[in-house]
Amino acid sequence: MVSNSSFASVGRTPVVVHAPDPISREGALSQLRRHPEIEVREESETGPGTVALLISDSLDEPELTRLRRVVRSEGARAVLVVGTLRETELLDVIECGVGAIVWRHEATELRLVQAVLAAARGDGDLPADLLGRLINQVGTLHRSAAGRPGAPASGLSAREVDVLRLVAEGLDTAEIASKLSYSERTVKNVMHGLTTRLHLRNRAHAVAHALREGYI
């Protein structure tokens, strides 16, 4: 029999779980440990290269502060498993650097692993209803930005806007490449270029930036 240690950490995604109670924490850990591509670590090992899975019933200010610390100070990528999320909190969460969100009532084993791996890749992963709410905010923010003189005059190229618009619609790298007749490498380079230039943390943060500035 092959032991877990024989997998080492090569090619595996290191994950730490932050939960408000032992039952939630052990439940998530039990689900993640069944997957050899996941390497479960202790909470104290949060840092660059890890994915932090944060579980919460709702998002209050202490939770939002913890999200910011995990992503900005500790350098981890974040997955938020949450019971409820108010409309006004959605962009705040994304701007904190959260790349994936999972509803607690939908947090099955496969759904958690999917979200963790998406976050590790730097992709966005939102529930369909949250994606719909995000797209609704596109219209609201776009209308308010339209009244500002020269709103999207500079900052993002037409190619970057095209890619971000499709990211906002929930498409992954391969789907964006097919839609725009680009190679997947080109899509990745576009995303890397704009996130690096604008000091954005991931795709979701890039979409939030584009929404707030009225590009999409």
Side-chain angles (χ1 to χ4, degrees), residues 136-158:
N136 285 338
Q137 289 191 37
V138 172
T140 301
L141 291 168
H142 180 72
R143 285 190 295 274
S144 65
R148 301 199 307 265
S154 63
L156 293 179
S157 69

Side-chain angles (χ1 to χ4, degrees), residues 59 64 68 85-95 130 133 137 212:
L59 196 72
L64 201 56
R68 292 191 183 102
L85 192 64
R86 294 192 299 269
E87 193 82 21
T88 55
E89 296 167 337
L90 181 54
L91 286 183
D92 287 335
V93 167
I94 290 174
E95 289 194 326
L130 271 188
R133 284 159 59 180
Q137 289 191 37
R212 287 201 185 281

Side-chain angles (χ1 to χ4, degrees), residues 190-209:
V190 169
M191 288 303 305
H192 177 73
L194 75 91
T195 54
T196 299
R197 187 178 75 253
L198 299 176
H199 306 291
L200 304 169
R201 286 174 290 283
N202 54 37
R203 289 185 176 201
H205 191 195
V207 169
H209 172 80

Side-chain angles (χ1 to χ4, degrees), residues 107-178:
T108 62
E109 179 179 328
L110 292 180
R111 184 70 188 89
L112 283 183
V113 171
Q114 174 188 324
V116 164
L117 297 180
R121 293 191 303 267
D123 292 343
D125 188 349
L126 301 181
D129 56 332
L130 271 188
L131 182 59
R133 284 159 59 180
L134 184 61
I135 291 173
N136 285 338
Q137 289 191 37
V138 172
T140 301
L141 291 168
H142 180 72
R143 285 190 295 274
S144 65
R148 301 199 307 265
S154 63
L156 293 179
S157 69
R159 172 183 284 191
E160 289 170 339
V161 172
D162 288 342
V163 169
L164 281 177
R165 186 175 290 115
L166 295 178
V167 171
E169 291 175 7
L171 277 66
D172 62 23
T173 299
E175 292 169 329
I176 293 170
S178 174

